[in-house]
Amino acid sequence: MRKHLGIEKKREKKRERKMSRPHIVAIPYPAQGHVIPLMEFSQSLANHGIKVSFVNTEYNHKRIVKALAGESLIDLVSLPDGLEPWEDKSELEQISEALKWIMPGKLEELIEKINGGDGENVTCVMADHHIFWALEVAEKMNIKAVAFWPAAAASLALLLSVPKYIDEGIVDNDGTVLKSQNVDMGTNMPTMKTKDFVWACIGDFTMQKMIFDLMLKLNSSQKLAQRAVCNSAHDLEPEAFTLIPEVLPIGPLLASSRQGNLAGNFWPQDSTCLEWLDQQPLSSVIYVAFGSFTVFDPTQFKELASALELSERPFLWVVRSDTNTTDSICDPYPEGYLERVASRGLMVSWAPQQKVLAHPSIACFVSHCGWNSTLEGISNGVPILCWPYFADQFINESYICDVWKAGLKFDRNESELITKEEIKNKVEQLLGVEEFKESASKLKEFAMTSIKEGGQSNKNFNNFIEWLQS
Ligand code: UDP
């Protein structure tokens, strides 16, 4: 009898432990600009007592663990991506396709395994909006579902309107743009050219169709989720949040605001550049970085290199090992370049970008306008020179230049080249007109106020935690 009571007590204790706190399984889209903010959000939740198991593809998991600086507050787990070992893991479209076949079953198994073990039961699946199938798993398993949007609210509003653009004959059912025009989203909102739609400026027809289909699924994610959160701040884009009032701003998600190290990098950060920045005059350095995907053809790369030389200012330039389309044996720089710029230019393969942009030596940011880079720039009051390539980068460029007036666009010549003279002139114009810096400083205030005690993003974050605990 006594033995039986002992077993019962143990069981009761285990039951209590398993229900003691919420446990989120978080799943990012497997790209750098998606992993970093979701991991940042997860770390902030963990700081508030929520348990998080963060699921990466095996390939990304290995890279992230290798590049990790310091301890992780969350459990890092991995699942196979469904691609064969010889298939290219950086081909996102292939990965997205493969993931949706293999991962739902694996995710279900993972959740069942966690629930069968000694730790806390999984109470919520939080997935990137692009990972709609994870939210379907949550529905099937009867647990909470959260959709996470890592980009601007304006981008989400635009993409959720795709069915409307089909109805209006602007695009067809395959995503092919039928009308070349500007899409005006409203007052104080970015203007989009239809040719710059997220899917329309990437690769060939097959790729465009695959991405278009993925975009159409965003509406499913939005419907499946009981909560949708966005890495932005209300005051940065109030009109966009009016269009999608069910999406809650909880950003900007920055490692510095929780006094932690940036987590989720695919490459190790070269922190020596921070010491180099310490030696540069205040507000003097041009920081040049194009995120994790952008590649350069040799002519454009040399043109940018020459522009930085012509500018006669100190510069810090992130040149990833895969930045150039030339093979790695060729020297991508103009002849004698590295010796000529050695005294005032520094190239690194991956920077601690958030810390770089917070450094007082930085004067401006030459950026591809990925949303994370955009947020990190403006959260530090840094004006931006915009060099967008694809995806949501044109929307972000329009925010920066047309709406916020915190930056300038580059013009291309008749050969589609951004010349060294154009780059040098725009750097001078940006740094010569005080208004750009003033606008960027105002944006910094909006961004930082929102995440402070009492700010809109902070309130949403606290309400979100209460809901997780309910
Ligand atoms: N990043 C970094 N070091 C670098 C370049 C980029 O840590 O040298 C980070 C940057 O801070 C941002 C992310 O990588 O958080 C890039 O995301 P973004 O949305 O700007 O661009 P994407 O890589 O998705 O095109």
Side-chain angles (χ1 to χ4, degrees):
M1 184 64 177
R2 193 176 284 166
K3 194 174 164 197
H4 183 69
L5 277 177
I7 292 170
E8 259 316 298
K9 247 191 180 155
K10 266 192 188 158
R11 279 199 188 133
E12 184 56 32
K13 273 227 157 94
K14 185 174 171 186
R15 256 197 304 274
E16 272 171 21
R17 194 171 53 245
K18 287 179 82 54
M19 307 306 286
S20 61
R21 59 175 176 159
H23 183 174
I24 295 181
V25 167
I27 308 151
Y29 187 69
Q32 182 68 97
H34 294 244
V35 170
I36 288 179
L38 186 62
M39 204 175 258
E40 194 49 52
F41 189 44
S42 301
Q43 304 260 12
S44 300
L45 291 169
N47 260 339
H48 285 75
I50 310 289
K51 174 151 174 88
V52 184
S53 298
F54 198 92
V55 184
N56 280 300
T57 59
E58 278 167 359
Y59 176 66
N60 285 345
H61 176 79
K62 280 190 197 136
R63 299 205 276 179
I64 288 168
V65 170
K66 205 168 149 203
L68 206 63
E71 267 180 43
S72 172
L73 297 171
I74 57 181
D75 283 355
L76 300 178
V77 285
S78 67
L79 290 177
D81 55 27
L83 290 183
E84 298 298 340
W86 58 86
E87 288 183 284
D88 187 354
K89 311 274 184 187
S90 56
E91 279 298 331
L92 281 180
E93 302 68 39
Q94 271 178 30
I95 283 220
S96 315
E97 271 300 288
L99 284 182
K100 72 180 182 205
W101 299 120
I102 177 116
M103 274 245 198
K106 299 276 174 203
L107 178 64
E108 224 177 302
E109 278 169 28
L110 175 76
I111 294 174
E112 272 160 8
K113 192 169 153 215
I114 294 175
N115 291 350
D118 279 341
E120 295 92 338
N121 278 355
V122 175
T123 53
C124 174
V125 169
M126 176 165 73
D128 195 289
H129 264 83
H130 296 88
I131 306 287
F132 62 94
W133 47 261
L135 302 170
E136 286 171 353
V137 170
E139 187 183 43
K140 184 174 164 200
M141 299 185 87
N142 204 17
I143 47 184
K144 288 176 174 155
V146 177
F148 177 84
W149 184 249
S155 310
L156 182 58
L158 185 98
L159 291 168
L160 292 174
S161 304
V162 168
K164 188 179 95 172
Y165 298 138
I166 298 176
D167 288 347
E168 289 172 0
I170 293 175
V171 291
D172 70 11
N173 285 319
D174 292 329
T176 304
V177 174
L178 303 174
K179 290 183 188 164
S180 180
Q181 63 179 70
N182 278 342
V183 171
D184 189 5
M185 299 182 69
T187 332
N188 288 329
M189 294 273 295
T191 318
M192 271 301 280
K193 292 191 180 104
T194 48
K195 77 171 176 55
D196 294 335
F197 273 157
V198 168
W199 62 92
C201 44
I202 309 175
D204 57 11
F205 174 77
T206 317
M207 194 190 276
Q208 290 176 7
K209 165 107 177 78
M210 222 185 267
I211 295 185
F212 181 71
D213 289 343
L214 196 62
M215 298 303 137
L216 280 175
K217 288 283 186 190
L218 295 176
N219 278 296
S220 312
S221 296
Q222 192 61 26
K223 279 185 200 121
L224 283 164
Q226 286 116 38
R227 289 286 185 281
V229 294
C230 170
N231 183 20
S232 182
H234 176 269
D235 289 351
L236 291 177
E237 35 174 357
E239 290 81 6
F241 282 107
T242 314
L243 294 177
I244 42 170
E246 65 283 19
V247 178
L248 302 172
I250 40 84
L253 295 162
L254 301 168
S256 57
S257 56
R258 59 168 178 88
Q259 273 118 40
N261 276 324
L262 182 68
N265 280 270
F266 288 175
W267 298 276
Q269 299 176 331
D270 183 346
S271 291
T272 54
C273 60
L274 296 174
E275 287 146 36
W276 180 86
L277 282 175
D278 288 342
Q279 289 151 28
Q280 309 306 318
L282 279 183
S283 300
S284 67
V285 177
I286 309 171
Y287 174 56
V288 187
F290 295 87
S292 57
F293 279 110
T294 312
V295 288
F296 275 79
D297 76 54
T299 315
Q300 186 63 82
F301 185 86
K302 283 202 172 76
E303 205 68 17
L304 172 57
S306 303
L308 293 171
E309 184 176 3
L310 266 180
S311 79
E312 293 179 354
R313 291 173 186 272
F315 65 87
L316 172 61
W317 183 8
V318 178
V319 184
R320 296 185 329 269
S321 54
D322 57 352
T323 289
N324 276 287
T325 51
T326 41
D327 66 56
S328 52
I329 309 159
C330 293
D331 180 4
Y333 298 99
E335 214 185 316
Y337 183 77
L338 296 181
E339 295 78 46
R340 289 199 303 278
V341 300
S343 62
R344 63 184 174 81
L346 182 67
M347 273 71 100
V348 293
S349 57
W350 192 250
Q353 180 163 299
Q354 294 193 13
K355 288 187 182 155
V356 165
L357 285 165
H359 198 285
S361 297
I362 297 296
C364 67
F365 183 12
V366 178
S367 170
H368 71 310
C369 307
W371 181 246
N372 295 290
S373 296
T374 303
L375 268 188
E376 291 159 10
I378 61 166
S379 298
N380 286 294
V382 177
I384 302 175
L385 285 166
C386 301
W387 190 319
Y389 275 75
F390 73 129
D392 60 338
Q393 295 158 15
F394 293 96
I395 300 185
N396 305 336
E397 177 193 53
S398 180
Y399 255 142
I400 294 166
C401 303
D402 307 331
V403 181
W404 298 333
K405 318 272 186 226
L408 287 171
K409 300 178 189 181
F410 287 120
D411 292 322
R412 292 174 185 270
N413 71 6
E414 59 289 348
S415 320
E416 285 297 300
L417 191 76
I418 302 180
T419 63
K420 51 180 178 291
E421 293 80 15
E422 165 69 3
I423 301 169
K424 178 180 179 280
N425 290 342
K426 287 283 160 71
V427 168
E428 277 169 14
Q429 207 179 319
L430 188 83
L431 297 182
V433 179
E434 200 44 40
E435 275 81 4
F436 293 113
K437 179 74 191 157
E438 281 169 12
S439 302
S441 301
K442 208 161 138 201
L443 293 167
K444 173 180 175 177
E445 204 183 308
F446 284 160
M448 300 325 280
T449 307
S450 71
I451 50 174
K452 277 196 198 126
E453 192 77 41
Q456 186 65 55
S457 290
N458 182 268
K459 278 188 202 157
N460 289 339
F461 180 79
N462 291 335
N463 290 342
F464 181 68
I465 290 183
E466 266 177 35
W467 172 76
L468 284 174
Q469 287 165 335
S470 65

